[in-house]
Amino acid sequence: MKLRRTTWSLVLAGALAMSAACSPGTGGGGGGDGKSFEFWSFTAINQKASVDAYRDKHPDVEVKLTEVGTSTETAQALTTALAGGKVPDLVLIQGDDLPKFVQQPQNFVDLRTLGADDVKGDYLDWVMGQSTAKGGEVVGIPTDVGGMAVAYRTDLFAAAGLPTDRDQVSALWPTWEAFIETGKRYTQATGKAFVDNAATSVFSQAVNQGAQKYYDDGGELIYATNPEVKAAFDVGVKAATAGITAKQPSFSSGWSAGMAQGQFATLAAPSWMLNAIRSNAPDTKGKWDIAKVPGEWGNWGGSYLAIPKGAKNPQAAWSYIKEMQSPQGQLEHFVRSGALPSTPSVYKDDKMAFAKDEFFSNAPTGTIYTDSLLGLKPFRIGPDTSAINQELGNAIANVEQSGGNAATAWDDAVRNTKTAIGK
Amino acid sequence: MTGTLTPARIAAPPPPPSPAGAARRLRDRLTPYGYIAPFFVLFAVFGLFPLLFTFYVALFDWNPIGDRTFIGVDNFTRMFADPRFWNAAGNTLSIWVLSTVPQLLLALLLAHVLNHARLRFALFFRMVVLVPYITSVAATAIVFAQLFDRDYGLLNWLLGLVGIDPVDFTGSTWGSHVLIATMVAWRWFGYNTLLYLASLQAISREVYEAASIDGAGEWQRFRHITVPALRPIIIFTVVTSTIGGLQIFTEPLLLSGGGGLTCGAVRQCQTLTLFLYEQGFGQFQFGYGSAIGVALFVMVVVIAAVNYVLSRRLRGEGR
């Protein structure tokens, strides 16, 4: 019996794969009533708000929303579902997880068959490009993008003798070097950590500001040779060794507790992070503000809606996409939940240009994040982007948290990445 | 052999062959197999088939939503050259030693104490030691992670009171091993205590009393009566905790919190099963994950064989 347990999980996977191989090929549009559809989303991004709004307008349509887990867990569940043949009608996929699915477009309904060509022009070109497969199949329609910024605690900044006005704070760090110098000033004045950790708040943001990241425009891996990646990594290591970090891995329990207790004064804040801050530290309302990210432009994150090939109600799912992800739909979603639209035509709309966030000292979130997207040089995201992110970030976290050698960190990171992705 | 066969029975003539009799004999012969069939059918479906299928998948580069290519033993050569595999194997071994040794020693001592004739409320204590065992692993992991937290944990707060610097239990290699081992030991010591206790109850009290009269102290009685009497059951618990130790999964997974399937920046607490899961269901390399599963299987078989040899030799000694 023990033997069975060692292998049961693999076995399950194997059985699922088998059943996929045996299940009859299901095309789009099989047997649905067109009035209900099943929707898999991930937690913490409040898709429920969108679904509720849609239900209000279409009381006859039934939406079964399931929040599967984190974005990674949702992508894993989707992969298992695709292998097993029992899939939802609509699924939300996070940007970094998308390339794996775009590489296998036969698993999804080509949205051009439902009319994607008509709406393609509404979205930022480079965002749309990431969900288009080699053969031109459109796998997903973008929902939101991340943009980038830095959230900071005004009360802690004041206590450290730093300015608190968001323009003056932004002026403190035109570059990442200046951000680290500011951190040293803060830590010297207060004896406390300046930023939550180096891997997420410094490296992950810095590496998302390059014109190329881990892949060149032809799809070749260049993570080991791209000077922009190396520069971002070096900045991350520098932050890790500067003694300004709280050494709290993002999304860990210590990180949430540290945020609520003011253990650190700043953290990376792509637009989707604002919800995490609100829910982890509700008592700090009004003590936060948002400044520009060092280097000023770039994008981190964003998601896509896709319809799996075996969906029972592709038409109902498409109606939802078309209505809720239209420029107007995304603008309304921004007003309700703060997710940054991927439809540039609404960026100058008053509802965005004058949007203010009470929790963050009435920061003009609309303009801060859309500004960070302007001047953006889009880079290519590939099937191993997620894995490379993890290995490089881990190498920095090792220096920061476990006393790893900073001098050999880059070589270690490249070696580990090669082992992990086999290339 | 105490049974005897009477000559009359041996000499009894065989019944005359008839078609009906042959059918009945066949039925009689097959009936027992029918009774035991459910187990073997279930075993074949849920045990044997998946096992063989895992061997099969291990020979492929298997993408669950894309292509699968036959690559022979490449997954295995890759595994043996993979430092992450050896790291996971080392972590598993280290956590196993750290958890099993103190756990079994503690269980042995506790069983000896609980077996004591003069202990009041013995039944109460015997039941209480089982409480950790029936607590959900997830709940245990969450509570322990908070107790051992670097900045907000109770344990580091207590250490701070006596002037010791806080220990980063999840961030450091040995710290995370100690933490996981503590969780495992806490969960299982009560179970093993009861196993030992059951075995101890079989020893006659008179042996202990005779030893006392001969002037044997508490420690001598423990060493010369309790431990030898428990030898077979000790071997059994060592083997079961070894097999359990090879499969530690939930504790490190829940412990890593935001860290995901690597259990820390340098995979400091990633065990073999966690590595298997990371490759199979995180990276979706089913073939490579299956290869790790096969390696685990081989290890378990080797340990089971060692157990067989040991217990046979032990039985031989007893004669």
Side-chain angles (χ1 to χ4, degrees):
Chain A
M1 290 301 108
K2 289 288 181 189
L3 306 184
R4 203 175 75 206
R5 234 186 277 163
T6 57
T7 44
W8 76 266
S9 51
L10 269 179
V11 151
L12 179 69
L16 285 171
M18 276 285 278
S19 61
C22 305
S23 66
T26 40
D33 53 11
K35 285 288 173 202
S36 68
F37 65 94
E38 202 186 336
F39 179 12
W40 285 5
S41 172
F42 33 90
T43 49
I45 75 149
N46 203 8
Q47 267 302 313
K48 197 175 172 299
S50 251
V51 169
D52 286 343
Y54 190 72
R55 278 191 191 123
D56 286 346
K57 286 181 198 159
H58 305 275
D60 55 325
V61 179
E62 194 194 338
V63 188
K64 278 174 256 167
L65 175 71
T66 309
E67 291 196 336
V68 177
T70 64
S71 54
T72 311
E73 285 160 358
T74 309
Q76 286 171 0
L78 173 64
T79 310
T80 319
L82 288 172
K86 191 162 166 32
V87 290
D89 300 298
L90 185 65
V91 62
L92 191 68
I93 304 171
Q94 206 249 326
D96 279 356
D97 297 315
L98 187 74
K100 271 193 186 123
F101 297 110
V102 172
Q103 272 199 329
Q104 311 286 347
Q106 74 279 5
N107 291 300
F108 295 91
V109 173
D110 180 359
L111 298 178
R112 289 179 304 180
T113 61
L114 295 168
D117 284 335
D118 303 337
V119 296
K120 229 157 111 174
D122 291 346
Y123 305 94
L124 291 162
D125 284 344
W126 53 273
V127 180
M128 199 65 215
Q130 284 167 9
S131 67
T132 308
K134 268 199 185 126
E137 302 95 333
V138 174
V139 169
I141 295 289
T143 58
D144 63 315
V145 283
M148 289 198 288
V150 173
Y152 65 98
R153 285 278 294 266
T154 50
D155 54 336
L156 299 180
F157 266 47
L162 292 168
T164 56
D165 173 75
R166 72 181 68 92
D167 291 329
Q168 285 174 319
V169 169
S170 301
L172 283 176
W173 51 63
T175 63
W176 284 105
E177 307 283 336
F179 181 79
I180 294 170
E181 289 309 314
T182 312
K184 286 183 183 160
R185 269 172 68 192
Y186 175 89
T187 303
Q188 256 167 20
T190 60
K192 289 203 289 187
F194 176 63
V195 62
D196 55 348
N197 65 66
T200 316
S201 282
V202 178
F203 168 70
S204 285
Q205 296 225 95
V207 80
N208 277 321
Q209 294 179 314
Q212 289 183 327
K213 198 173 167 185
Y214 305 142
Y215 292 83
D216 70 11
D217 299 336
E220 294 296 315
L221 274 169
I222 52 161
Y223 68 93
T225 51
N226 182 356
E228 289 176 319
V229 172
K230 175 76 162 64
F233 188 88
D234 288 345
V235 162
V237 170
K238 199 168 174 191
T241 51
I244 58 168
T245 66
K247 305 181 180 183
Q248 296 286 15
S250 296
F251 306 106
S252 68
S253 58
W255 180 75
S256 313
M259 195 187 298
Q261 302 194 6
Q263 191 191 17
F264 42 86
T266 62
L267 76 157
S271 62
W272 43 264
M273 186 69 93
L274 303 185
N275 264 331
I277 300 175
R278 278 190 205 102
S279 57
N280 281 320
D283 295 341
T284 58
K285 185 179 179 180
K287 293 179 181 167
W288 293 90
D289 205 332
I290 302 170
K292 281 181 177 156
V293 66
E296 296 199 339
W297 52 263
N299 177 54
W300 181 14
S303 305
Y304 295 81
L305 281 170
I307 303 176
K309 193 65 149 256
K312 288 206 179 68
N313 284 303
Q315 200 59 52
W318 174 253
S319 305
Y320 177 84
I321 294 179
K322 211 176 160 191
E323 183 168 332
M324 299 315 285
Q325 305 313 330
S326 68
Q328 207 53 40
Q330 292 209 10
L331 180 62
E332 283 168 28
H333 188 54
F334 169 80
V335 172
R336 275 193 308 271
S337 68
L340 189 62
S342 54
T343 48
S345 63
V346 300
Y347 287 178
K348 295 290 167 221
D349 190 290
D350 285 355
K351 279 184 194 158
M352 274 203 81
F354 297 113
K356 291 191 173 14
D357 195 318
E358 231 182 293
F359 193 95
F360 295 91
S361 309
N362 289 319
T365 45
T367 48
I368 289 174
Y369 288 107
T370 50
D371 283 356
S372 80
L373 293 175
L374 303 173
L376 174 80
K377 299 168 225 158
F379 52 78
R380 189 184 174 104
I381 298 177
D384 288 315
T385 292
S386 229
I388 302 170
N389 265 338
Q390 183 182 316
E391 292 300 335
L392 299 189
N394 276 350
I396 292 171
N398 180 33
V399 171
E400 180 189 63
Q401 290 158 28
S402 311
N405 186 346
T408 63
W410 171 251
D411 294 332
D412 294 343
V414 171
R415 200 180 52 242
N416 290 347
T417 312
K418 276 204 174 110
T419 316
I421 64 173
K423 285 165 250 187
Chain B
M1 283 291 148
T2 52
T4 51
L5 292 169
T6 62
R9 282 197 64 159
I10 290 170
S18 73
R24 187 182 308 133
R25 265 208 312 283
L26 187 68
R27 208 181 55 205
D28 287 351
R29 203 170 282 172
L30 289 180
T31 309
Y33 293 103
Y35 286 129
I36 57 168
F39 166 76
F40 286 97
V41 170
L42 286 177
F43 175 73
V45 172
F46 294 105
L48 196 63
F49 167 73
L51 193 64
L52 296 176
F53 196 71
T54 305
F55 288 129
Y56 175 72
V57 174
L59 302 175
F60 286 81
D61 181 6
W62 190 296
N63 180 344
I65 58 165
D67 312 319
R68 48 203 69 159
T69 345
F70 183 80
I71 53 167
V73 293
D74 281 10
N75 278 326
F76 292 96
T77 36
R78 178 180 163 204
M79 183 177 77
F80 287 122
D82 190 340
R84 295 173 302 170
F85 174 74
W86 297 111
N87 170 59
N91 288 343
T92 310
L93 186 74
S94 156
I95 292 170
W96 168 67
V97 171
L98 283 173
S99 66
T100 308
V101 175
Q103 179 201 156
L104 294 185
L105 288 178
L106 182 67
L108 200 58
L109 277 173
L110 263 181
H112 182 69
V113 171
L114 284 176
N115 192 37
H116 216 287
R118 282 170 300 177
L119 186 71
R120 299 183 73 184
F121 310 117
L123 189 66
F124 171 75
F125 287 113
R126 283 168 200 174
M127 281 165 67
V128 162
V129 292
L130 213 54
V131 168
Y133 175 65
I134 57 172
T135 310
S136 120
V137 195
T140 310
I142 289 164
V143 171
F144 270 75
Q146 291 190 354
L147 285 179
F148 284 74
D149 190 89
R150 185 190 63 205
D151 298 317
Y152 306 105
L154 182 68
L155 194 74
N156 275 325
W157 179 73
L158 288 174
L159 288 179
L161 287 185
V162 290
I164 300 173
D165 281 343
V167 181
D168 188 355
F169 281 100
T170 45
S172 62
T173 304
W174 73 266
S176 59
H177 290 191
V178 167
L179 172 48
I180 294 170
T182 311
M183 270 193 270
V184 174
W186 184 79
R187 184 165 147 76
W188 287 97
F189 81 90
Y191 177 81
N192 287 317
T193 302
L194 288 195
L195 277 182
Y196 291 159
L197 185 61
S199 197
L200 278 181
Q201 304 266 298
I203 309 174
S204 153
R205 295 232 165 266
E206 285 137 28
V207 181
Y208 281 105
E209 279 160 20
S212 300
I213 291 164
D214 288 347
E218 186 78 18
W219 173 245
Q220 281 173 316
R221 273 176 287 167
F222 178 71
R223 252 202 82 198
H224 295 290
I225 303 174
T226 306
V227 174
L230 290 183
R231 212 183 283 162
I233 194 88
I234 288 174
I235 295 277
F236 172 76
T237 51
V238 167
V239 170
T240 47
S241 23
T242 306
I243 294 173
L246 281 176
Q247 301 174 344
I248 290 175
F249 177 76
T250 324
E251 288 90 348
L253 178 66
L254 291 172
L255 187 70
S256 69
L261 300 176
T262 55
C263 197
V266 282
R267 301 170 187 271
Q268 64 263 31
C269 53
Q270 190 181 42
T271 56
L272 275 173
T273 42
L274 204 54
F275 182 49
L276 182 160
Y277 187 79
E278 186 208 357
Q279 293 306 311
F281 294 89
Q283 309 294 333
F284 283 107
Q285 302 186 342
F286 276 14
Y288 193 47
S290 297
I292 303 164
V294 170
L296 252 179
F297 171 78
V298 170
M299 285 181 214
V300 173
V301 167
V302 167
I303 287 165
V306 168
N307 168 42
Y308 179 71
V309 171
L310 269 183
S311 47
R312 265 187 63 142
R313 181 169 298 175
L314 213 70
R315 217 172 294 147
E317 263 176 27
R319 254 175 215 166

